[in-house]
Amino acid sequence: MNTFLPPAEELALVDRELARLDARRAELLLRRDWLVRVLDAQRAAPALPAAGPRPWPAPGAVPGAVPPRPEATPRSTQNVLLTLGGVLLTVAALVFTLVSWGTMGIGGRAAVLVVVTSAALAAPAVLLRRGLASTAESVAALGLVLTVLDAYALHRVALPETGGLGYTAAASAVLAGLWAGYGSVLPRLRGPLPTAVAAAQLPLPLGVLAADGGLTAFAWAALGTAALDAAAVVWGKGLPVRVTAGTGAAALGGWALLTGLGLSLTAPVTALPLLLGCAAVLLFLAVRHAPSAPASAGVAGLTGIAAAGGLLRSGVPEAWIVPGYALCALLLTGAAAWHRGPWAGARPEPVALPRLRDGLALAGAGVLGLATVWALPPTVVGLLDPAVRSTAVWSGEHAERMLSGYPATAPLVLLVVTAGLAVVPRRWTRGAALALGWALVVGLPVVFGLSYGASLAVRLGATAAALAVAVRPAPPARGLDGATELLAWTGFGCGMVSGVTAVLPALDARAATFAVLGVLAALFGAVAVLGGGVRRTVAACAGVLAVAGLVGAGAVTSGASEPVTGLLLLAVPAGTGVLGAWLRRRPPAVAVEATGAAVGLFGVALTAGRPALLALGLALAGVVAAATAVRPERRPVASWAAAVLFLLASWVRLAVWGVAAPEAYTLPATVPALVVGVLRRRRDPEASSWTAYGPGLAVTLLPSLCAAWVDPHWARPLLLGLGALAVTLLGARFRLQAPLLLGGGVLALVGLHELAPYVVQAVGALPRWLPPALAGLLLLGVGATYEQRLRDARRLRERLGRMR
């Protein structure tokens, strides 16, 4: 059969399984003998009632008694006893060595040491032959402890002048060799080999400390021990040996690596061989030990970058330190990524090799990422400067940049990383390369201190290039599904960010404002025409805003006031309405018209300071909405918007003229509007009453209601109340929602207006505790009849819903 275990371990496993089977066979034979005796007894007494087999009685148990359930297994009991025995023997050996040693002569001491240690080391061989593996392990552990005590005793008696560190280093080396040989002779013992590996961690580091070798020598000693541990991890026998060696390699190798990294900042020439040695050990582990391949290769890659970068660090100016590390990382990443050459496919690769390449590539990518973060501040400043304006608009003065004196090598780092990403055949790297290239261009004006005009030109150039990729992305490489869409979205996002942020610095000068807005309008328009999907819609809306900015800037340049500028901005929704009619039901149409409508509302808001121009602006906006309502797909929304805008325009105009009787102007508009509504209902019985009668009734009722609330006389409220009552009754008679709700609402408000003085007078005459008490009673009544109120409200809603 095929297994993954070494022959020695497999042999030990087979021996254990055979011993277990022998023990089980003996137990089953005893059980069979007992069952045979039970059956013979049942045959001898046939008159007794048959019964199932009873529990097997333990030796010495009372017949018929139920045996107690054992609280510990035989194996656990055995382990406890053996452990206690080994501990007691070890304590006895320590007491003998430390206390009773001085009462014996040299010959007696030597005889005791040789006899006891030899017996403790020889006994496990006999115990293993008898199948007592656990006992053998305990006695072997005692023997290992005795060897340590022998070494201590030898130092106290024979070598008292020897230094403690030096003697400990030599003794640990000798003991490690003896224990390793002992474990190889008795491979069934699990303790000696891991113990030998643990002891092997001490000789080299302690020897360097004993010789006062210094920090570098100690790091080399730790690295040498870690190399031996790595070999034990790869070729060691048994999991305990590999785990112990791996722990030692991680501890001592990590110390050597940290020492090398520290020296690379102060003494790179001294650190170079140490770091290369660490990288060699890590690469050996990555190649020969598959489970640790990615992590070992990644740390090895970082170590190599630190070694090479530290060497470059000592010979270049400070501004070139980060580019030096980035160049080393790029070379490593490129070597790991472009691993296939003319020899690819000639023979199969080892299993660990792809993981090794992945670890190296990840290490290089991590360093490149850190270098990119270091190089990005100029880009951020270029986008946000001036985020908070410190100069007046069109003053011709430019705010000082928030970042100055940044190393001019920052663009070089971005260029290196961009070039590296551009040549790596991965789905996401092309988009990342595009984003970094864009960041490189945007940050150039900050790093090199370009003039105001050159900075804007560079920003617009970056915007144009990014949006060009969004419109016509490069063809994807073979096998990179989805890379084209990712590249297009990356270019679109970069272009939008740099384009929108270019408007802020453009406000410093009049010519720059027109130039930037004009270029942005053209670029966004091109994307809206040539692009696709959501990008087309977003670009179209951004183009509308750019055109609105041009209109506003042109109005301000011509000397127009703010309200007049608002009127001129109404040309934007008019244009988007025409554009929407041309686009019809295409996806960008709704977004474009909504953006134009928002610009129109902003323009109307600018006219608020001049009521006469506000009325004109509302009327013009109503004309645009009415023209839009001609299209069937926009009629449900645009018709209502037109009605509201015309109504607001009429109210504002009446207020400007100081009209005290608005009915003289609203009634002539209400009558033809109601006639048109009646004709429409005759032609289309399914038409809503709000569409047919709502605008005509609102034109008169609402302005009259506003006038009635400020009229101190009784004639207007009385006439308005009678008219509202008539409208309400007609709505109830013909079951029409608009007359019923409009008339009822106006009637209720008129009544409230007339009763308000009396209500206030009555409330003032009441005790102060009475209104809260009445409110509480009202709440209790509503709560008690809550379900009935819900049914009434539901019934009223259903009745209104059946009306037109």
Side-chain angles (χ1 to χ4, degrees), residues 366-379:
V367 175
L368 288 176
L370 294 176
T372 302
V373 172
W374 174 83
L376 281 180
T379 301

Side-chain angles (χ1 to χ4, degrees), residues 576-591:
T576 55
V578 175
L579 182 60
W582 177 69
L583 294 173
R584 294 187 179 275
R585 298 185 182 276
R586 297 177 186 175
V590 177

Side-chain angles (χ1 to χ4, degrees), residues 255-325:
W255 175 266
L257 178 59
L258 291 177
T259 303
L261 293 177
L263 290 175
S264 69
L265 302 177
T266 57
V269 177
T270 305
L272 180 62
L274 181 61
L275 290 176
L276 292 180
C278 294
V281 174
L282 289 167
L283 288 177
F284 169 76
L285 274 178
V287 173
R288 301 305 300 268
H289 191 250
S292 64
S296 300
V299 179
L302 293 175
T303 305
I305 294 172
L311 196 62
L312 291 175
R313 178 191 183 96
S314 61
V316 298
E318 183 178 358
W320 288 88
I321 292 177
V322 175
Y325 282 103

